[in-house]
mmCIF file of all heavy atoms in Angstrom:
data_model
loop_
_atom_site.group_PDB
_atom_site.id
_atom_site.type_symbol
_atom_site.label_atom_id
_atom_site.label_comp_id
_atom_site.label_asym_id
_atom_site.label_seq_id
_atom_site.Cartn_x
_atom_site.Cartn_y
_atom_site.Cartn_z
ATOM 1 N N SER A 1 38.008 172.825 -3.501
ATOM 2 C CA SER A 1 38.797 173.674 -4.390
ATOM 3 C C SER A 1 40.273 173.604 -4.026
ATOM 4 O O SER A 1 40.639 173.526 -2.844
ATOM 5 C CB SER A 1 38.319 175.117 -4.293
ATOM 6 O OG SER A 1 39.209 176.001 -4.932
ATOM 7 N N HIS A 2 41.122 173.683 -5.042
ATOM 8 C CA HIS A 2 42.555 173.793 -4.774
ATOM 9 C C HIS A 2 42.859 175.052 -3.952
ATOM 10 O O HIS A 2 43.883 175.103 -3.259
ATOM 11 C CB HIS A 2 43.345 173.858 -6.090
ATOM 12 C CG HIS A 2 43.814 172.511 -6.551
ATOM 13 N ND1 HIS A 2 44.654 171.708 -5.810
ATOM 14 C CD2 HIS A 2 43.573 171.833 -7.709
ATOM 15 C CE1 HIS A 2 44.915 170.589 -6.468
ATOM 16 N NE2 HIS A 2 44.265 170.624 -7.633
ATOM 17 N N ALA A 3 41.991 176.033 -4.026
ATOM 18 C CA ALA A 3 42.210 177.261 -3.284
ATOM 19 C C ALA A 3 42.222 177.015 -1.774
ATOM 20 O O ALA A 3 42.780 177.806 -1.019
ATOM 21 C CB ALA A 3 41.127 178.304 -3.628
ATOM 22 N N SER A 4 41.611 175.923 -1.330
ATOM 23 C CA SER A 4 41.617 175.612 0.091
ATOM 24 C C SER A 4 42.998 175.172 0.553
ATOM 25 O O SER A 4 43.326 175.249 1.741
ATOM 26 C CB SER A 4 40.617 174.482 0.403
ATOM 27 O OG SER A 4 41.096 173.236 -0.078
ATOM 28 N N GLY A 5 43.821 174.687 -0.375
ATOM 29 C CA GLY A 5 45.149 174.190 -0.017
ATOM 30 C C GLY A 5 45.169 172.735 0.392
ATOM 31 O O GLY A 5 46.213 172.087 0.380
ATOM 32 N N ILE A 6 44.005 172.184 0.747
ATOM 33 C CA ILE A 6 43.976 170.814 1.279
ATOM 34 C C ILE A 6 44.186 169.742 0.208
ATOM 35 O O ILE A 6 44.906 168.766 0.451
ATOM 36 C CB ILE A 6 42.675 170.568 2.075
ATOM 37 C CG1 ILE A 6 42.644 171.504 3.293
ATOM 38 C CG2 ILE A 6 42.577 169.126 2.528
ATOM 39 C CD1 ILE A 6 41.397 171.380 4.151
ATOM 40 N N PRO A 7 43.611 169.871 -0.990
ATOM 41 C CA PRO A 7 43.868 168.838 -2.015
ATOM 42 C C PRO A 7 45.347 168.634 -2.299
ATOM 43 O O PRO A 7 45.802 167.509 -2.490
ATOM 44 C CB PRO A 7 43.107 169.355 -3.240
ATOM 45 C CG PRO A 7 41.980 170.147 -2.670
ATOM 46 C CD PRO A 7 42.577 170.839 -1.470
ATOM 47 N N LYS A 8 46.111 169.728 -2.314
ATOM 48 C CA LYS A 8 47.547 169.603 -2.601
ATOM 49 C C LYS A 8 48.266 168.879 -1.455
ATOM 50 O O LYS A 8 49.174 168.087 -1.683
ATOM 51 C CB LYS A 8 48.151 170.989 -2.830
ATOM 52 C CG LYS A 8 47.778 171.606 -4.163
ATOM 53 C CD LYS A 8 48.250 173.036 -4.285
ATOM 54 C CE LYS A 8 47.339 174.008 -3.559
ATOM 55 N NZ LYS A 8 47.590 175.414 -3.893
ATOM 56 N N ILE A 9 47.858 169.177 -0.228
ATOM 57 C CA ILE A 9 48.455 168.491 0.919
ATOM 58 C C ILE A 9 48.166 167.004 0.844
ATOM 59 O O ILE A 9 49.069 166.171 1.021
ATOM 60 C CB ILE A 9 47.898 169.081 2.237
ATOM 61 C CG1 ILE A 9 48.311 170.541 2.402
ATOM 62 C CG2 ILE A 9 48.370 168.261 3.432
ATOM 63 C CD1 ILE A 9 47.644 171.238 3.570
ATOM 64 N N TYR A 10 46.916 166.656 0.545
ATOM 65 C CA TYR A 10 46.521 165.252 0.462
ATOM 66 C C TYR A 10 47.264 164.542 -0.668
ATOM 67 O O TYR A 10 47.807 163.437 -0.468
ATOM 68 C CB TYR A 10 45.014 165.147 0.254
ATOM 69 C CG TYR A 10 44.536 163.706 0.154
ATOM 70 C CD1 TYR A 10 44.270 162.985 1.315
ATOM 71 C CD2 TYR A 10 44.358 163.094 -1.064
ATOM 72 C CE1 TYR A 10 43.849 161.660 1.240
ATOM 73 C CE2 TYR A 10 43.949 161.760 -1.163
ATOM 74 C CZ TYR A 10 43.680 161.057 -0.001
ATOM 75 O OH TYR A 10 43.270 159.745 -0.076
ATOM 76 N N ALA A 11 47.303 165.168 -1.838
ATOM 77 C CA ALA A 11 47.909 164.520 -3.020
ATOM 78 C C ALA A 11 49.387 164.231 -2.790
ATOM 79 O O ALA A 11 49.908 163.223 -3.280
ATOM 80 C CB ALA A 11 47.726 165.397 -4.245
ATOM 81 N N ASN A 12 50.067 165.094 -2.031
ATOM 82 C CA ASN A 12 51.486 164.900 -1.832
ATOM 83 C C ASN A 12 51.809 163.865 -0.764
ATOM 84 O O ASN A 12 52.849 163.217 -0.813
ATOM 85 C CB ASN A 12 52.166 166.227 -1.473
ATOM 86 C CG ASN A 12 52.412 167.101 -2.706
ATOM 87 O OD1 ASN A 12 52.403 166.620 -3.826
ATOM 88 N ND2 ASN A 12 52.597 168.382 -2.500
ATOM 89 N N ILE A 13 50.926 163.689 0.225
ATOM 90 C CA ILE A 13 51.234 162.754 1.307
ATOM 91 C C ILE A 13 50.640 161.373 1.045
ATOM 92 O O ILE A 13 51.147 160.375 1.543
ATOM 93 C CB ILE A 13 50.763 163.292 2.700
ATOM 94 C CG1 ILE A 13 51.381 162.473 3.846
ATOM 95 C CG2 ILE A 13 49.247 163.290 2.786
ATOM 96 C CD1 ILE A 13 52.875 162.490 3.926
ATOM 97 N N VAL A 14 49.564 161.283 0.256
ATOM 98 C CA VAL A 14 48.911 159.973 0.092
ATOM 99 C C VAL A 14 49.845 158.976 -0.614
ATOM 100 O O VAL A 14 49.750 157.764 -0.376
ATOM 101 C CB VAL A 14 47.588 160.126 -0.684
ATOM 102 C CG1 VAL A 14 47.819 160.423 -2.170
ATOM 103 C CG2 VAL A 14 46.728 158.882 -0.531
ATOM 104 N N GLY A 15 50.767 159.463 -1.420
ATOM 105 C CA GLY A 15 51.728 158.560 -2.052
ATOM 106 C C GLY A 15 52.574 157.824 -1.052
ATOM 107 O O GLY A 15 53.076 156.720 -1.325
ATOM 108 N N ALA A 16 52.759 158.416 0.132
ATOM 109 C CA ALA A 16 53.588 157.795 1.164
ATOM 110 C C ALA A 16 52.971 156.505 1.697
ATOM 111 O O ALA A 16 53.632 155.745 2.402
ATOM 112 C CB ALA A 16 53.847 158.764 2.303
ATOM 113 N N CYS A 17 51.690 156.269 1.408
ATOM 114 C CA CYS A 17 51.055 155.011 1.813
ATOM 115 C C CYS A 17 51.579 153.834 0.997
ATOM 116 O O CYS A 17 51.410 152.670 1.389
ATOM 117 C CB CYS A 17 49.543 155.092 1.690
ATOM 118 S SG CYS A 17 48.776 156.234 2.854
ATOM 119 N N THR A 18 52.206 154.127 -0.133
ATOM 120 C CA THR A 18 52.717 153.055 -0.987
ATOM 121 C C THR A 18 54.219 153.167 -1.219
ATOM 122 O O THR A 18 54.900 152.136 -1.276
ATOM 123 C CB THR A 18 51.989 153.031 -2.332
ATOM 124 O OG1 THR A 18 51.909 154.362 -2.868
ATOM 125 C CG2 THR A 18 50.589 152.475 -2.195
ATOM 126 N N TYR A 19 54.776 154.380 -1.409
ATOM 127 C CA TYR A 19 56.217 154.430 -1.661
ATOM 128 C C TYR A 19 57.002 154.160 -0.377
ATOM 129 O O TYR A 19 56.521 154.341 0.723
ATOM 130 C CB TYR A 19 56.662 155.720 -2.339
ATOM 131 C CG TYR A 19 56.509 157.027 -1.583
ATOM 132 C CD1 TYR A 19 57.284 157.301 -0.453
ATOM 133 C CD2 TYR A 19 55.659 158.019 -2.041
ATOM 134 C CE1 TYR A 19 57.191 158.507 0.204
ATOM 135 C CE2 TYR A 19 55.563 159.238 -1.380
ATOM 136 C CZ TYR A 19 56.338 159.474 -0.265
ATOM 137 O OH TYR A 19 56.233 160.669 0.390
ATOM 138 N N GLU A 20 58.217 153.686 -0.569
ATOM 139 C CA GLU A 20 59.099 153.245 0.528
ATOM 140 C C GLU A 20 58.437 152.147 1.364
ATOM 141 O O GLU A 20 58.648 152.065 2.575
ATOM 142 C CB GLU A 20 59.513 154.429 1.406
ATOM 143 C CG GLU A 20 60.328 155.468 0.692
ATOM 144 C CD GLU A 20 61.534 154.873 -0.026
ATOM 145 O OE1 GLU A 20 62.160 153.967 0.534
ATOM 146 O OE2 GLU A 20 61.823 155.326 -1.148
ATOM 147 N N GLY A 21 57.653 151.320 0.717
ATOM 148 C CA GLY A 21 57.020 150.192 1.388
ATOM 149 C C GLY A 21 55.522 150.355 1.472
ATOM 150 O O GLY A 21 55.037 151.268 2.157
ATOM 151 N N GLU A 22 54.769 149.505 0.773
ATOM 152 C CA GLU A 22 53.308 149.552 0.826
ATOM 153 C C GLU A 22 52.856 149.265 2.271
ATOM 154 O O GLU A 22 53.403 148.400 2.938
ATOM 155 C CB GLU A 22 52.735 148.517 -0.145
ATOM 156 C CG GLU A 22 51.244 148.638 -0.398
ATOM 157 C CD GLU A 22 50.413 147.949 0.682
ATOM 158 O OE1 GLU A 22 50.884 146.955 1.248
ATOM 159 O OE2 GLU A 22 49.296 148.415 0.955
ATOM 160 N N ASN A 23 51.852 150.020 2.727
ATOM 161 C CA ASN A 23 51.563 150.035 4.152
ATOM 162 C C ASN A 23 51.147 148.694 4.748
ATOM 163 O O ASN A 23 51.524 148.363 5.870
ATOM 164 C CB ASN A 23 50.490 151.094 4.445
ATOM 165 C CG ASN A 23 51.064 152.480 4.565
ATOM 166 O OD1 ASN A 23 52.277 152.666 4.460
ATOM 167 N ND2 ASN A 23 50.217 153.463 4.805
ATOM 168 N N THR A 24 50.363 147.914 4.029
ATOM 169 C CA THR A 24 49.975 146.619 4.574
ATOM 170 C C THR A 24 51.209 145.731 4.762
ATOM 171 O O THR A 24 51.361 145.057 5.787
ATOM 172 C CB THR A 24 48.953 145.922 3.659
ATOM 173 O OG1 THR A 24 47.778 146.717 3.567
ATOM 174 C CG2 THR A 24 48.583 144.546 4.194
ATOM 175 N N VAL A 25 52.102 145.767 3.789
ATOM 176 C CA VAL A 25 53.333 144.994 3.897
ATOM 177 C C VAL A 25 54.187 145.496 5.060
ATOM 178 O O VAL A 25 54.785 144.714 5.798
ATOM 179 C CB VAL A 25 54.116 145.028 2.576
ATOM 180 C CG1 VAL A 25 55.435 144.259 2.707
ATOM 181 C CG2 VAL A 25 53.280 144.444 1.455
ATOM 182 N N MET A 26 54.221 146.827 5.219
ATOM 183 C CA MET A 26 54.981 147.396 6.329
ATOM 184 C C MET A 26 54.416 146.945 7.675
ATOM 185 O O MET A 26 55.142 146.585 8.609
ATOM 186 C CB MET A 26 54.963 148.924 6.257
ATOM 187 C CG MET A 26 55.736 149.505 5.090
ATOM 188 S SD MET A 26 57.527 149.175 5.148
ATOM 189 C CE MET A 26 57.623 147.691 4.139
ATOM 190 N N MET A 27 53.076 146.955 7.785
ATOM 191 C CA MET A 27 52.436 146.490 9.012
ATOM 192 C C MET A 27 52.795 145.028 9.291
ATOM 193 O O MET A 27 53.037 144.636 10.437
ATOM 194 C CB MET A 27 50.921 146.654 8.902
ATOM 195 C CG MET A 27 50.419 148.060 9.180
ATOM 196 S SD MET A 27 50.569 148.449 10.929
ATOM 197 C CE MET A 27 49.781 150.060 10.998
ATOM 198 N N LEU A 28 52.827 144.212 8.255
ATOM 199 C CA LEU A 28 53.153 142.794 8.458
ATOM 200 C C LEU A 28 54.615 142.588 8.831
ATOM 201 O O LEU A 28 54.953 141.620 9.520
ATOM 202 C CB LEU A 28 52.797 141.992 7.200
ATOM 203 C CG LEU A 28 51.281 141.852 6.933
ATOM 204 C CD1 LEU A 28 51.030 141.185 5.599
ATOM 205 C CD2 LEU A 28 50.610 141.070 8.075
ATOM 206 N N GLN A 29 55.506 143.497 8.380
ATOM 207 C CA GLN A 29 56.884 143.448 8.826
ATOM 208 C C GLN A 29 56.945 143.645 10.355
ATOM 209 O O GLN A 29 57.656 142.919 11.069
ATOM 210 C CB GLN A 29 57.709 144.520 8.127
ATOM 211 C CG GLN A 29 57.918 144.298 6.651
ATOM 212 C CD GLN A 29 58.965 143.246 6.367
ATOM 213 O OE1 GLN A 29 59.940 143.114 7.068
ATOM 214 N NE2 GLN A 29 58.742 142.462 5.308
ATOM 215 N N THR A 30 56.195 144.635 10.832
ATOM 216 C CA THR A 30 56.166 144.872 12.270
ATOM 217 C C THR A 30 55.484 143.709 12.984
ATOM 218 O O THR A 30 55.886 143.321 14.092
ATOM 219 C CB THR A 30 55.421 146.192 12.566
ATOM 220 O OG1 THR A 30 56.048 147.258 11.843
ATOM 221 C CG2 THR A 30 55.446 146.524 14.056
ATOM 222 N N ALA A 31 54.445 143.144 12.360
ATOM 223 C CA ALA A 31 53.733 142.014 12.961
ATOM 224 C C ALA A 31 54.672 140.820 13.166
ATOM 225 O O ALA A 31 54.590 140.125 14.185
ATOM 226 C CB ALA A 31 52.540 141.618 12.089
ATOM 227 N N ARG A 32 55.543 140.572 12.213
ATOM 228 C CA ARG A 32 56.504 139.448 12.370
ATOM 229 C C ARG A 32 57.399 139.677 13.586
ATOM 230 O O ARG A 32 57.703 138.756 14.338
ATOM 231 C CB ARG A 32 57.345 139.311 11.101
ATOM 232 C CG ARG A 32 56.590 138.729 9.921
ATOM 233 C CD ARG A 32 57.523 138.478 8.744
ATOM 234 N NE ARG A 32 56.797 137.985 7.562
ATOM 235 C CZ ARG A 32 56.478 136.718 7.362
ATOM 236 N NH1 ARG A 32 56.790 135.802 8.268
ATOM 237 N NH2 ARG A 32 55.838 136.363 6.265
ATOM 238 N N TYR A 33 57.800 140.925 13.770
ATOM 239 C CA TYR A 33 58.628 141.249 14.938
ATOM 240 C C TYR A 33 57.840 141.033 16.220
ATOM 241 O O TYR A 33 58.371 140.481 17.201
ATOM 242 C CB TYR A 33 59.103 142.698 14.835
ATOM 243 C CG TYR A 33 59.868 143.191 16.037
ATOM 244 C CD1 TYR A 33 61.179 142.760 16.282
ATOM 245 C CD2 TYR A 33 59.291 144.084 16.934
ATOM 246 C CE1 TYR A 33 61.885 143.215 17.382
ATOM 247 C CE2 TYR A 33 59.978 144.537 18.050
ATOM 248 C CZ TYR A 33 61.274 144.109 18.263
ATOM 249 O OH TYR A 33 61.979 144.551 19.367
ATOM 250 N N LEU A 34 56.580 141.467 16.239
ATOM 251 C CA LEU A 34 55.748 141.294 17.436
ATOM 252 C C LEU A 34 55.518 139.812 17.713
ATOM 253 O O LEU A 34 55.510 139.385 18.866
ATOM 254 C CB LEU A 34 54.409 142.020 17.249
ATOM 255 C CG LEU A 34 54.468 143.536 17.194
ATOM 256 C CD1 LEU A 34 53.073 144.121 16.880
ATOM 257 C CD2 LEU A 34 55.002 144.120 18.498
ATOM 258 N N SER A 35 55.317 139.025 16.640
ATOM 259 C CA SER A 35 55.104 137.590 16.803
ATOM 260 C C SER A 35 56.331 136.937 17.453
ATOM 261 O O SER A 35 56.227 136.189 18.438
ATOM 262 C CB SER A 35 54.802 136.944 15.448
ATOM 263 O OG SER A 35 54.748 135.527 15.552
ATOM 264 N N LYS A 36 57.501 137.215 16.894
ATOM 265 C CA LYS A 36 58.730 136.639 17.455
ATOM 266 C C LYS A 36 58.933 137.090 18.910
ATOM 267 O O LYS A 36 59.337 136.307 19.769
ATOM 268 C CB LYS A 36 59.934 137.050 16.602
ATOM 269 C CG LYS A 36 59.931 136.429 15.214
ATOM 270 C CD LYS A 36 61.091 136.965 14.383
ATOM 271 C CE LYS A 36 61.052 136.400 12.960
ATOM 272 N NZ LYS A 36 62.135 136.951 12.112
ATOM 273 N N SER A 37 58.645 138.371 19.168
ATOM 274 C CA SER A 37 58.838 138.901 20.515
ATOM 275 C C SER A 37 57.873 138.268 21.502
ATOM 276 O O SER A 37 58.224 137.992 22.667
ATOM 277 C CB SER A 37 58.658 140.433 20.501
ATOM 278 O OG SER A 37 59.622 141.025 19.650
ATOM 279 N N TYR A 38 56.624 138.045 21.059
ATOM 280 C CA TYR A 38 55.629 137.425 21.941
ATOM 281 C C TYR A 38 56.105 136.040 22.382
ATOM 282 O O TYR A 38 56.066 135.710 23.576
ATOM 283 C CB TYR A 38 54.283 137.314 21.214
ATOM 284 C CG TYR A 38 53.273 136.491 21.961
ATOM 285 C CD1 TYR A 38 52.549 137.038 23.027
ATOM 286 C CD2 TYR A 38 53.057 135.150 21.634
ATOM 287 C CE1 TYR A 38 51.615 136.270 23.733
ATOM 288 C CE2 TYR A 38 52.129 134.378 22.324
ATOM 289 C CZ TYR A 38 51.416 134.937 23.380
ATOM 290 O OH TYR A 38 50.511 134.168 24.072
ATOM 291 N N PHE A 39 56.546 135.254 21.428
ATOM 292 C CA PHE A 39 56.985 133.891 21.769
ATOM 293 C C PHE A 39 58.258 133.914 22.621
ATOM 294 O O PHE A 39 58.431 133.072 23.496
ATOM 295 C CB PHE A 39 57.172 133.054 20.515
ATOM 296 C CG PHE A 39 55.873 132.692 19.838
ATOM 297 C CD1 PHE A 39 55.570 133.149 18.563
ATOM 298 C CD2 PHE A 39 54.940 131.901 20.502
ATOM 299 C CE1 PHE A 39 54.369 132.823 17.961
ATOM 300 C CE2 PHE A 39 53.731 131.564 19.903
ATOM 301 C CZ PHE A 39 53.431 132.032 18.626
ATOM 302 N N ARG A 40 59.111 134.923 22.387
ATOM 303 C CA ARG A 40 60.281 135.069 23.271
ATOM 304 C C ARG A 40 59.844 135.383 24.692
ATOM 305 O O ARG A 40 60.386 134.828 25.657
ATOM 306 C CB ARG A 40 61.183 136.199 22.746
ATOM 307 C CG ARG A 40 62.037 135.847 21.551
ATOM 308 C CD ARG A 40 62.800 137.052 21.061
ATOM 309 N NE ARG A 40 63.548 137.674 22.143
ATOM 310 C CZ ARG A 40 63.966 138.946 22.158
ATOM 311 N NH1 ARG A 40 63.661 139.737 21.134
ATOM 312 N NH2 ARG A 40 64.667 139.412 23.156
ATOM 313 N N GLY A 41 58.855 136.267 24.815
ATOM 314 C CA GLY A 41 58.345 136.620 26.130
ATOM 315 C C GLY A 41 57.714 135.422 26.835
ATOM 316 O O GLY A 41 57.858 135.272 28.058
#
């Protein structure tokens, strides 16, 4: 139920998995940095 308050919390934060950078793409951005750093090390 919306009365629990939890659906509204979920609905507002779940969009952050895609806006300002879709999460898989964001992870791969970090992965590129880790890859370059590994070879530097």
Side-chain angles (χ1 to χ4, degrees):
S1 169
H2 267 300
S4 73
I6 296 179
K8 287 173 281 192
I9 295 172
Y10 180 84
N12 281 341
I13 194 61
V14 73
C17 292
T18 47
Y19 65 67
E20 297 308 321
E22 192 277 330
N23 277 359
T24 298
V25 178
M26 292 296 95
M27 279 289 185
L28 290 174
Q29 291 283 325
T30 304
R32 287 185 183 276
Y33 175 73
L34 292 175
S35 173
K36 292 176 183 177
S37 299
Y38 171 80
F39 289 116
R40 283 176 53 202

